[in-house]
Amino acid sequence: MSLVSATGTMPSMSSKLFRILSAAVCGQRPSRQEIEEENRARREFILDMMHYNPEALQSELGIQMMMHVYPSKF
């Protein structure tokens, strides 16, 4: 399963939740590779944000605002 959809965006939090819940109901678990890909994409996003706008992530408030502006990335 790919983290990036055909439109080039990451899935929203609700689609992630739906996938997790449907896997739990069906008795399936995401593969280790899928989990690692999600973690890698999340880490890459944060590193990109730190590179392009380092002063925005200097405090907890900056992190909270980023999570508010980009909820699908967390």
Side-chain angles (χ1 to χ4, degrees):
M1 179 182 303
S2 175
L3 288 177
V4 179
S5 68
T7 61
T9 59
M10 291 184 66
S12 67
M13 190 62 136
S14 60
S15 66
K16 288 180 189 177
L17 180 62
F18 177 75
R19 191 184 77 225
I20 291 169
L21 290 176
S22 64
V25 170
C26 297
Q28 299 172 347
R29 295 181 57 193
S31 72
R32 183 178 182 109
Q33 182 180 8
E34 290 173 347
I35 293 170
E36 288 174 0
E37 286 178 15
E38 280 187 17
N39 291 339
R40 194 173 304 119
R42 190 174 297 119
R43 185 172 41 250
E44 197 173 306
F45 170 74
I46 292 172
L47 289 174
D48 283 346
M49 293 304 288
M50 288 171 59
H51 175 73
Y52 293 116
N53 198 1
E55 56 276 346
L57 301 174
Q58 292 181 352
S59 68
E60 183 180 349
L61 182 60
I63 302 278
Q64 289 176 357
M65 289 303 295
M66 186 174 72
M67 292 172 72
H68 177 72
V69 173
Y70 300 102
S72 65
K73 306 289 186 180
F74 292 92

